[in-house]
């Protein structure tokens, strides 16, 4: 292992020995200061995001502001890690929550601040230290986040950015100092990292891909569903794990809903990402655009009908596309990570549910209906970590975020996330 990386891992481990003794309340004060730094520099940090991965500047600034709000949530959070007394016949009878140590974060480029801080904040508040392996195009974001922790007054070694590639992840995760890993990324990357963690008996948390359904039933507010649906698919150029990717429409409202949806979809015209009026920029890298084009052609070769063509207008920009897909098309078993949406038509609620669940993923779904019984049916039967009723999917610090099936395991956000990288220690005796 390169000496610089070895030194940083040792530094993180040494920092942990002291940080674990710092009170929950003192840690919260530092997190509140970091939230303030983010808030005060939202435009500056947003510009870094835009330069690195082409996110429209207004969305990049909003990402930084959301990070500030999330950190403030944890700064004000209830201490769910204090010793928990258990009624029993013993004199000592309690559960204590012990931080694990150095936690590795392997994070993607699509939300280069949010994904990192969403994982790191509760891990650090719980008493762990963090080392980050960011996407190679986002080293600037990773270094900036490290500076934010320092500016907020965190001790040296609590959060460190490692400028390394994928090949170094195995060696880092196998290092004795590292006690766990959190990865947000593809299923392939998640499987590889989880395998390394498992072989070394280390905790892993995986937030992987999705192919979320956006179900529009015949009693929905169709105008609102059309507006929100276009944003749900095309925000961040469609490069979002919880983006709406499959629009399952009840057949009786297809002719009414689709024209409205198409009209809203066409409003997303690629533009200069540094312009605050731009709603959609280019994809993060040209090779990702190449991959999306191949998936588009694969869908068409297998019978998909073009509603709006996916038109490539530069090496990484597209005029967003929309295709009608029938069950059995192999593209339904893949994640489309870019400005391409799929439309499916269902005859009733049962068929809509079957279509929604008939994929490897289980991240989040959105259901549009005013009927309470229909809402309850989908809430109970959809196979996903989140179900949204008459709204698009978006993560919220107050609520747990995570998936099922091939979308991963473990929980980010909410108070539950504070217990992801701790060991419950039972204390019993007289």
């Amino acid at each position: 292992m390169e000496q610089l990386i070895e030194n940083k891992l040792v530094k993180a481990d040494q920092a942990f020995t002291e940080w674990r003794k710092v009170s929950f309340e003192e840690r919260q004060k530092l997190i509140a200061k970091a939230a303030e730094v983010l808030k005060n520099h939202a435009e500056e940090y947003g510009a870094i995001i835009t330069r690195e991965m082409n996110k429209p500047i207004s969305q990049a600034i909003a990402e930084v502001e959301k990070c500030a709000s999330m950190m403030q949530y944890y700064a004000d959070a209830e201490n769910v890690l204090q010793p928990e007394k258990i009624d029993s016949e013993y004199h000592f009878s309690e559960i204590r929550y012990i931080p694990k140590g150095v936690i590795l974060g392997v994070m993607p480029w699509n939300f280069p601040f949010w994904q990192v801080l969403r994982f790191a904040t509760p891990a650090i508040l719980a008493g762990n230290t963090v080392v980050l392996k960011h996407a190679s195009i986002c080293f600037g974001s990773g270094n900036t986040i490290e500076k934010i922790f320092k500016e907020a007054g965190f001790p040296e070694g609590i959060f460190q950015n490692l400028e390394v590639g994928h090949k170094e992840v195995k060696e880092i995760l196998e290092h004795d100092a590292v006690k766990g890993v959190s990865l947000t990324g593809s299923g392939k990357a998640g499987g590889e990292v989880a395998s390394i963690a498992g072989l070394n008996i280390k905790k892993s948390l995986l937030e992987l891909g999705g192919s979320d359904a956006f179900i529009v039933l015949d009693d929905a507010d169709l105008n609102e569903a059309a507006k929100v649906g276009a944003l749900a698919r095309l925000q961040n150029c469609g490069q979002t794990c919880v983006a709406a990717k499959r629009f399952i429409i009840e057949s009786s409202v297809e002719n009414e809903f689709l024209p409205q949806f198409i009209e809203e979809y066409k409003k997303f015209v690629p533009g200069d990402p540094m312009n605050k009026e731009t709603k959609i920029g280019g994809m993060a890298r040209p090779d990702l655009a190449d991959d999306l084009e191949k998936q588009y052609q694969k869908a068409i070769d297998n019978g998909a009908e073009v509603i709006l063509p996916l038109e490539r207008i530069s090496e990484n920009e597209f005029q967003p596309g929309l295709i009608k897909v029938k069950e059995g098309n192999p593209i339904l078993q893949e994640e489309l990570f870019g400005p391409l949406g799929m439309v499916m038509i269902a005859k009733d609620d049962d068929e809509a549910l079957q279509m929604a669940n008939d994929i490897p993923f289980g991240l989040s779904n959105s259901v549009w209906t005013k009927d309470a019984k229909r809402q309850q049916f989908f809430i109970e039967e959809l196979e996903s970590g989140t179900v949204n009723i008459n709204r698009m999917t978006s993560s919220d610090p107050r609520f747990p975020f995570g998936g099922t099936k091939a979308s991963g395991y473990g929980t980010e956000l909410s108070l539950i996330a504070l217990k992801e990288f701790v060991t419950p220690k039972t204390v019993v005796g007289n």
Side-chain angles (χ1 to χ4, degrees), residues 391-413:
R391 67 183 297 274
M392 65 182 276
T393 296
S394 60
S395 51
D396 183 312
R398 298 170 296 176
F399 306 121
F401 182 87
T404 185
K405 302 198 292 188
S407 290
Y409 51 75
T411 299
E412 295 185 309
L413 301 178

Side-chain angles (χ1 to χ4, degrees), residues 19-196:
W19 182 246
R20 67 193 297 272
K21 300 172 188 174
V22 175
S23 72
F24 190 87
E25 292 71 26
E26 288 302 312
R27 295 179 202 144
Q28 284 185 304
K29 289 177 184 177
L30 292 172
I31 286 171
K33 289 179 182 177
E36 194 67 23
V37 174
L38 282 159
K39 200 182 305 179
N40 292 339
H41 297 273
E43 297 223 358
E44 174 191 341
Y45 299 156
I48 294 171
I49 293 171
T50 299
R51 285 195 298 270
E52 288 188 324
M53 52 77 61
N54 295 315
K55 181 174 294 183
I57 187 67
S58 58
Q59 295 176 28
I61 293 168
E63 178 181 336
V64 177
E65 291 172 341
K66 185 174 182 179
C67 289
S69 297
M70 178 271 297
M71 294 191 85
Q72 191 59 53
Y73 164 80
Y74 282 109
D76 298 331
E78 174 192 356
N79 183 2
V80 295
L81 301 180
Q82 57 191 340
E84 188 178 328
K85 302 292 184 183
I86 305 296
D87 288 335
S88 76
E89 69 275 23
Y90 300 107
H91 176 67
F92 293 108
S93 184
E94 65 183 30
I95 302 168
R96 299 190 177 196
Y97 296 97
I98 311 302
K100 288 186 176 292
V102 182
I103 310 299
L104 169 64
V106 182
M107 295 292 138
W109 45 261
N110 59 331
F111 288 89
F113 271 61
W114 173 250
Q115 307 278 25
V116 173
L117 290 168
R118 181 177 72 181
F119 140 70
T121 302
I124 288 171
L125 179 55
N128 302 289
T129 58
V130 165
V131 290
L132 169 66
K133 182 267 176 271
H134 215 324
S136 59
I137 63 171
C138 294
F139 286 162
S141 291
N143 287 327
T144 301
I145 294 169
E146 181 174 334
K147 290 174 185 174
I148 290 167
F149 277 95
K150 289 178 181 176
E151 188 174 336
F154 281 83
E156 289 282 331
I158 302 302
F159 180 99
Q160 296 177 89
N161 183 49
L162 310 178
E163 291 193 6
V164 297
H166 289 297
K167 292 179 180 177
E168 286 82 9
V169 170
K170 180 176 185 292
E171 201 171 359
I172 293 169
L173 186 47
E174 289 175 339
H175 195 283
D176 288 344
V178 176
K179 299 300 189 288
V181 60
S182 177
L183 177 141
T184 297
S186 68
K188 182 176 182 291
E192 290 172 353
V193 166
S195 296
I196 298 165

Side-chain angles (χ1 to χ4, degrees), residues 119-418:
F119 140 70
T121 302
I124 288 171
L125 179 55
N128 302 289
T129 58
V130 165
V131 290
L132 169 66
K133 182 267 176 271
H134 215 324
S136 59
I137 63 171
C138 294
F139 286 162
S141 291
N143 287 327
T144 301
I145 294 169
E146 181 174 334
K147 290 174 185 174
I148 290 167
F149 277 95
K150 289 178 181 176
E151 188 174 336
F154 281 83
E156 289 282 331
I158 302 302
F159 180 99
Q160 296 177 89
N161 183 49
L162 310 178
E163 291 193 6
V164 297
H166 289 297
K167 292 179 180 177
E168 286 82 9
V169 170
K170 180 176 185 292
E171 201 171 359
I172 293 169
L173 186 47
E174 289 175 339
H175 195 283
D176 288 344
V178 176
K179 299 300 189 288
V181 60
S182 177
L183 177 141
T184 297
S186 68
K188 182 176 182 291
E192 290 172 353
V193 166
S195 296
I196 298 165
L199 285 170
N200 289 274
I201 321 298
K202 296 182 180 183
K203 172 70 183 287
S204 61
L205 185 158
L206 303 179
E207 198 272 277
L208 308 177
S211 187
D212 294 4
F214 190 98
I215 302 168
V216 182
L217 302 179
D218 60 6
D219 64 337
D221 182 335
L222 299 183
N223 182 56
E224 183 67 10
K227 288 180 181 177
V228 174
L231 177 64
R233 171 68 281 215
L234 298 175
Q235 183 175 256
N236 199 27
C237 200
Q239 299 167 125
T240 306
C241 56
V242 292
K245 298 184 174 94
R246 297 173 300 134
F247 294 85
I248 301 174
I249 304 164
E250 191 165 7
S251 57
S252 60
V253 290
E254 176 186 358
N255 293 336
E256 186 179 355
F257 175 75
L258 259 185
Q260 296 181 62
F261 182 47
I262 291 168
E263 183 181 346
E264 294 296 332
Y265 212 82
K266 286 181 176 179
K267 293 178 181 178
F268 286 78
V269 179
D272 177 6
M274 283 296 183
N275 184 334
K276 288 190 176 182
E277 301 303 313
T278 295
K279 297 173 72 173
I280 186 169
M283 293 184 68
R285 300 193 312 260
D287 64 299
L288 299 169
D290 293 342
D291 291 342
L292 187 68
E293 272 192 323
K294 290 173 185 174
Q295 288 180 297
Y296 175 62
Q297 191 58 52
K298 178 179 180 178
I300 293 171
D301 290 345
N302 284 277
E305 174 190 334
V306 177
I307 300 173
L308 291 172
L310 181 72
E311 297 180 354
R312 194 164 184 172
I313 57 179
S314 76
E315 67 172 10
N316 66 340
E317 291 175 298
F318 288 103
Q319 188 61 45
L322 198 60
I323 53 178
K324 184 181 284 189
V325 179
K326 293 182 179 178
E327 285 187 279
N329 194 313
I331 203 65
L332 290 167
Q333 303 305 307
E334 301 177 11
E335 180 179 27
L336 297 179
F337 217 64
L340 176 63
M342 295 179 284
V343 171
M344 304 179 74
I345 307 301
K347 65 177 183 292
D348 55 25
D349 292 14
D350 287 330
E351 187 170 57
L353 175 70
Q354 187 270 326
M355 287 178 174
N357 285 341
D358 190 23
I359 58 168
F361 307 103
L363 198 51
S364 184
N365 291 294
S366 178
V367 182
W368 292 72
T369 174
K370 298 171 185 173
D371 185 272
K373 286 186 178 179
R374 298 176 93 181
Q375 292 172 1
Q376 199 60 38
F377 169 72
F378 284 98
I379 289 168
E380 291 176 0
E381 300 297 331
L382 281 168
E383 298 169 353
S384 57
T386 303
V387 177
N388 299 271
I389 305 298
N390 298 320
R391 67 183 297 274
M392 65 182 276
T393 296
S394 60
S395 51
D396 183 312
R398 298 170 296 176
F399 306 121
F401 182 87
T404 185
K405 302 198 292 188
S407 290
Y409 51 75
T411 299
E412 295 185 309
L413 301 178
S414 79
L415 298 180
I416 295 173
L418 288 168

